[in-house]
Amino acid sequence: MIAVAAAEDRPVIGPIPLEALQEAARSGEIDPSSRALLRGEHEYIQNWRKQREGAGKDAARHGELDAEPRNLIGLALSGGGIRSATFCLGIMQALARKGLLNKVDYVSTVSGGGYIGSSITWLLSQSAQSQDSGRKIAGQEREPNPTFGLDKENFPYGSEDPAPDAKREASQVQTRMLRYLRDHGYYLSPGKGVTAFSLLGVILRGTILNLIVWLPIIVLFFLFGQWLSTWLSTMGWTWTPLLSRVLHDAAAPKSLFGFELFLWIAVVLIALLVAGVVVYSIATKFHRTAADSTRGNWYKWRRRAEKASGVALPAIVLTLLVGSLPVVSQGLQGWLQAAGPAAVLAGMGTAIGYFLRFSGSRSPLPSGVTVSVAAGVFLYGVILVSFQIAHWWFSHFSALPSYPILAATIAMPALTGWLVNLNYISIHRYYRDRLMESYLPDIGSALRNETGAALGADGARLHAVTDRARPTGPFHLINTNLVLVDSENNKYRSRGGDNFILSAEYCGSNATGWCPTDRFMDGLMTLPTAMAISAAAVNPNTGVGGEGLTRNALLSLMMSLLNLRVGYWAANPRQHRSASGTPNHFVPGIYAIGSALGLKAKFGFSEERPHIQLTDGGHFENMAVYELVRRRAKLIIVCDGGADEEFSFSDFQTTVRRIEDDFGARLKIDDGATPDNLIPAKATGAAYPKDRDFAQQGFMLGTLTYADDTKAKVIYLKATLQKDVSFKVKGYAAQNPDFPDQSTADQFFDEVQFESYRELGFRIADGMLKAPLPQPVEEFPEAKTLEELMVRCATAH
């Protein structure tokens, strides 16, 4: 039996080394840290089960409140932007129609699935339903907000079959709520003064705010170097730099000494590198005949030499780059002097365009070489422009002047660098507010179909949205990714991060440990912020499943410099408070520079830093299944709304590898319900739309075997075109050949597109529930269909 601690007594839980996690999995046990993490959730779920079955039910059938609940049912809503959110809405409506949605214990969401998952969490909360926003419909006076639930009669967005000939059963309230959501498919530019130009303005604002910090710092660096050279000459230094002869500028030696010094450092490093190569080649003559007692020393010296070369090569490139700036700048005469600004502007344009069209899917994008070259040109352009400004300044004033402009140049980065919150000047905040207004609206405003501020959700603290003693729905797990590209742990570094949860009870990850949510960041984390973090698809040093172009170091540095990111800086749960200070350009902003330059001992992204960066949960695992496996769910329903035109099941494959590596859970696809049935094939005879293929069904089944050999069932639903959808959906498919795998870059859904994905989700889930089990489930042999399986599992507490 597990004693449940009071909220104020819940401890901060330390990190779990992956080796310990895997060892616990191999032994069939839940590791102690995970067990402590789940205690508060267990009480919540026991209360949720008791409440949903009615207060008059015998509480003994649920066991004691401090017992671990059995036969957990988890619903996983995948990433994929508004496409996945709408597809998952249709699935949830089908479950609610059958009375099955309220039998779910956990809703685990990531990215786009979090839009609709967070929407339901908010609308079911006491905070939303008790707001004094009221409604006025068809001339009626204000009335209290309606009470929403997960049953057919009170699901916020209704649960009626979207087929044209189906009976209309939704209430007026449900119809109006669904209309509000549908009408806000253009959530990034909802109108009422917030347009696409608003988004572009926010992007440019963030870029300018970053550049006015870092450009003056680089200019001051070059200016100080030239001033230092002049000061040394006044102190009796008689050096005549070689650069002055190369440039045929006899008046320049005083200001060029610093740049020549960089060149001489590069020359010395090259000479040492060449000498080391020669010495190594000679040493190989004696290595083969070395005694066994000295072979270990040879090995140690080889490793030291390899590490030294890894540091020397970047240092040579950097010193040559800085040292050659005077030559390059003078070589660019006339209109060619605009090459530096042109490189900066071209890089900005390319990066912003890439940001706007970026897809979390594997859609065609520039090659890695192209991106590296483009980012390198941009970064060199920034350095060159900074040098040209500093050189112009110095040549006109000869020394550092005591003018207001100098004071402003120093004050600008100092003030805007320190006195700023990076989370508020990036695109994250705009993204968060637009999502909140569409998916977490004030109920009264939604019923009146009014676009505007969502004042209720804006301050909805994550730890207070749900009440453990009086739950109103399944326990919500919001999955994000903790960026760990510079971790000392090889596993985290290769994956690029770790799964980081945000929930009403705890926030944290294996790498950092977990902190009670009411103490994490002083309890200020809100539901809309958590939702937006989970959907932060475009961010430096990340990629779908830990892979992708944005893992490129040069591109990541350019994106960081231009403030092109949707991720969020948070306090490390190990510190569990905001004591590390507001995230600013210098701390932790300099982590990006340290990461790019390989200065990982003091800077970079790791679990040891006081600040951590959180991004889209799909950068770790896009199915939201990982944490359900940690909780040993008995039945997991996976809703995959991601773009997968090739039907590679790549996101689900990543999930399968992650849960096996970390928890020892092995998935076997059941015979008779395999991926083959999900792949569209040519219809026999004529079929509309012409030349479109149809899948036999939209789901497959699997058996999950945990490390202790207990079994669980996995129902996997995927967005795939089927013949039993309505004429409207087929018409949309005829006009849009890439449906239902349209790019995640498309975050602007009109009414027809919204309804097509919603109906597809409903139809696939409805067909799944009616489908017979291809083979009996050992623990529930009486279940003949998947609907019966859900019911049996939910009642076998």
Side-chain angles (χ1 to χ4, degrees):
M1 306 290 280
I2 298 176
V4 180
E8 60 273 14
D9 297 329
R10 282 174 292 154
V12 174
I13 302 171
I16 305 175
L18 276 178
E19 296 76 12
L21 189 70
Q22 293 161 346
E23 180 60 33
R26 283 192 292 270
S27 66
E29 295 293 329
I30 296 180
D31 63 275
S33 294
S34 292
R35 192 177 296 275
L37 168 68
L38 305 183
R39 289 174 183 171
E41 298 176 12
H42 290 164
E43 181 181 347
Y44 180 102
I45 289 170
Q46 295 286 27
N47 284 329
W48 166 233
R49 287 178 169 181
K50 181 179 179 180
Q51 180 171 313
R52 75 193 186 197
E53 294 187 12
K57 297 288 183 180
D58 182 5
R61 69 177 297 185
H62 304 283
E64 298 295 332
L65 284 179
D66 59 354
E68 294 184 22
R70 298 175 55 247
N71 295 329
L72 294 167
I73 298 178
L75 178 64
L77 308 181
S78 82
I82 191 173
R83 180 192 58 246
S84 180
T86 312
F87 175 73
C88 291
L89 170 61
I91 292 173
M92 296 176 78
Q93 288 178 312
L95 294 175
R97 182 177 178 81
K98 295 286 189 178
L100 298 174
L101 191 56
N102 66 2
K103 299 186 184 303
V104 172
D105 299 302
Y106 281 103
V107 170
S108 181
T109 66
V110 60
S111 194
Y115 300 177
I116 194 64
S118 298
S119 181
I120 300 303
T121 295
W122 166 245
L123 293 175
L124 266 57
S125 70
Q126 291 295 324
S127 300
Q129 297 184 26
S130 63
Q131 271 188 286
D132 189 22
S133 55
R135 71 185 190 275
K136 187 175 183 180
I137 302 175
Q140 298 177 15
E141 294 300 321
R142 282 188 182 274
E143 300 176 9
N145 284 330
T147 300
F148 292 126
L150 296 177
D151 294 323
K152 176 180 178 180
E153 296 77 16
N154 57 14
F155 187 63
Y157 298 112
S159 59
E160 66 181 17
D161 192 324
D165 57 347
K167 183 180 179 182
R168 303 294 91 180
E169 298 175 320
S171 68
Q172 187 183 47
V173 167
Q174 292 171 320
T175 300
R176 290 177 179 271
M177 291 297 295
L178 181 61
R179 183 188 66 179
Y180 178 86
L181 192 61
R182 182 173 57 238
D183 289 351
H184 285 74
Y186 284 76
Y187 68 91
L188 288 175
S189 55
K192 289 290 187 75
V194 181
T195 67
F197 287 106
S198 303
L199 172 59
L200 182 59
V202 169
I203 294 173
L204 292 175
R205 179 192 69 188
T207 295
I208 292 170
L209 287 173
N210 259 33
L211 290 179
I212 64 175
V213 170
W214 293 109
L215 272 179
I217 290 175
I218 302 173
V219 169
L220 288 171
F221 170 78
F222 288 133
L223 192 62
F224 177 78
Q226 295 184 75
W227 172 81
L228 181 62
S229 299
T230 303
W231 179 79
L232 287 174
S233 68
T234 62
M235 299 296 292
W237 191 272
T238 57
W239 180 278
T240 302
L242 179 63
L243 277 176
S244 64
R245 303 169 190 169
V246 173
L247 298 175
H248 305 291
D249 185 0
K254 292 180 179 180
S255 64
L256 295 179
F257 168 72
F259 295 95
E260 176 135 337
L261 183 60
F262 274 97
L263 286 177
W264 279 111
I265 292 174
V267 169
V268 170
L269 288 175
I270 292 172
L272 290 174
L273 200 61
V274 171
V277 170
V278 172
V279 170
Y280 178 80
S281 65
I282 296 173
T284 58
K285 167 71 176 176
F286 306 98
H287 171 61
R288 187 175 181 83
T289 58
D292 289 343
S293 59
T294 61
R295 290 181 69 87
N297 293 330
W298 282 98
Y299 175 64
K300 291 178 182 178
W301 279 105
R302 282 203 310 275
R303 284 187 57 82
R304 290 173 183 171
E306 289 158 0
K307 290 181 180 179
S309 63
V311 174
L313 288 175
I316 290 171
V317 172
L318 187 60
T319 51
L320 282 176
L321 184 149
V322 175
S324 64
L325 283 173
V327 178
V328 174
S329 183
Q330 189 180 67
L332 299 175
Q333 296 296 327
W335 62 271
L336 286 176
Q337 288 183 343
V344 174
L345 292 175
M348 287 177 59
T350 300
I352 291 174
Y354 171 77
F355 179 88
L356 290 173
R357 73 175 187 273
F358 177 81
S359 166
S361 65
R362 291 164 177 78
S363 57
L365 289 169
S367 69
V369 174
T370 302
V371 166
S372 296
V373 171
V377 169
F378 165 78
L379 294 170
Y380 186 75
V382 170
I383 294 173
L384 183 58
V385 167
S386 301
F387 167 77
Q388 289 173 329
I389 294 172
H391 189 63
W392 175 86
W393 189 339
F394 186 84
S395 63
H396 280 72
F397 297 104
S398 299
L400 289 178
S402 300
Y403 295 118
I405 191 172
L406 177 62
T409 304
I410 296 173
M412 181 71 74
L415 292 176
T416 61
W418 283 110
L419 302 179
V420 69
N421 187 327
L422 288 181
N423 292 326
Y424 283 82
I425 66 168
S426 71
I427 307 151
H428 162 82
R429 202 65 181 178
Y430 179 91
Y431 187 46
R432 177 251 195 203
D433 290 348
R434 301 293 81 76
L435 282 173
M436 176 180 67
E437 291 160 6
S438 295
Y439 286 90
L440 282 66
D442 292 346
I443 294 176
S445 298
L447 291 172
R448 295 188 296 272
N449 204 22
E450 293 178 352
T451 299
L455 299 177
D458 185 52
R461 299 286 186 261
L462 185 60
H463 67 86
V465 170
T466 57
D467 185 346
R468 191 197 302 183
R470 291 178 295 277
T472 55
F475 191 83
H476 190 183
L477 299 169
I478 301 175
N479 296 272
T480 73
N481 173 64
L482 166 63
V483 180
L484 296 176
V485 293
D486 301 312
S487 172
E488 291 295 325
N489 186 295
N490 290 332
K491 180 75 78 173
Y492 293 142
R493 188 170 62 252
S494 64
R495 292 175 173 179
D498 187 26
N499 200 70
F500 191 103
I501 64 164
L502 299 169
S503 77
E505 292 288 334
Y506 272 96
C507 296
S509 69
N510 295 324
T512 60
W514 294 266
C515 174
T517 305
D518 55 3
R519 283 186 272 165
F520 177 62
M521 298 186 67
D522 291 334
L524 297 178
M525 177 61 65
T526 63
L527 176 63
T529 297
M531 171 182 63
I533 294 170
S534 179
V538 191
N539 207 78
N541 298 297
T542 57
V544 178
E547 301 175 353
L549 284 177
T550 37
R551 284 292 303 270
N552 180 287
L554 285 177
L555 176 61
S556 293
L557 181 58
M558 179 173 72
M559 291 177 67
S560 297
L561 188 61
L562 294 176
N563 205 10
L564 295 176
R565 59 180 183 81
V566 193
Y568 185 89
W569 287 106
N572 195 317
R574 296 182 186 183
Q575 299 184 354
H576 72 80
R577 295 181 62 84
S578 57
S580 54
T582 301
N584 58 54
H585 285 286
F586 303 128
V587 181
I590 201 155
Y591 290 2
I593 298 175
S595 178
L597 297 179
L599 305 175
K600 301 173 183 178
K602 297 293 183 181
F603 305 104
F605 300 88
S606 84
E607 63 273 27
E608 303 297 332
R609 303 287 173 259
H611 291 90
I612 55 174
Q613 191 168 71
L614 304 178
T615 67
D616 193 316
H619 295 151
F620 178 83
E621 186 259 323
N622 205 37
M623 294 288 99
V625 171
Y626 187 85
E627 293 296 335
L628 295 178
V629 172
R630 185 197 299 275
R631 288 152 179 79
R632 303 287 181 91
K634 191 68 174 179
L635 176 62
I636 301 176
I637 306 167
V638 186
C639 308
D640 185 356
D644 185 16
E645 191 173 3
E646 301 299 322
F647 284 86
S648 65
F649 298 87
S650 55
D651 288 340
F652 195 48
Q653 290 284 356
T654 299
T655 297
V656 171
R657 290 192 293 270
R658 294 278 195 267
I659 62 175
E660 183 169 357
D661 286 348
D662 293 357
F663 302 115
R666 296 154 291 153
L667 178 68
K668 179 183 181 299
I669 302 302
D670 294 351
D671 296 334
T674 68
D676 302 344
N677 300 326
L678 281 73
I679 300 175
K682 291 292 181 184
T684 56
Y688 176 75
K690 183 181 178 182
D691 299 327
R692 286 303 302 265
D693 301 337
F694 297 96
Q696 181 178 337
Q697 61 189 36
F699 67 94
M700 67 178 178
L701 303 177
T703 300
L704 190 65
T705 303
Y706 290 109
D708 61 355
D709 291 328
T710 58
K711 307 288 185 182
K713 210 67 186 173
V714 174
I715 305 174
Y716 172 88
L717 299 93
K718 187 175 183 63
T720 184
L721 189 59
Q722 296 183 283
K723 291 191 73 172
D724 62 349
V725 294
S726 71
F727 177 71
K728 292 187 299 181
V729 177
K730 289 182 178 179
Y732 184 80
Q735 299 169 55
N736 298 272
D738 51 352
F739 174 81
D741 292 291
Q742 291 163 305
S743 171
T744 311
D746 179 9
Q747 291 295 294
F748 300 88
F749 271 33
D750 59 22
E751 179 181 354
V752 178
Q753 192 174 13
F754 181 96
E755 283 301 314
S756 296
Y757 278 98
R758 183 176 75 90
E759 180 182 332
L760 182 66
F762 187 99
R763 192 62 52 221
I764 286 174
D766 188 58
M768 176 272 292
L769 292 172
K770 296 175 182 176
L773 281 165
Q775 55 195 46
V777 177
E778 183 177 342
E779 293 188 49
F780 308 106
E782 65 278 13
K784 305 302 180 185
T785 65
L786 288 170
E787 179 179 351
E788 291 179 6
L789 176 63
M790 283 195 68
V791 173
R792 298 291 183 182
C793 185
T795 55
H797 300 323

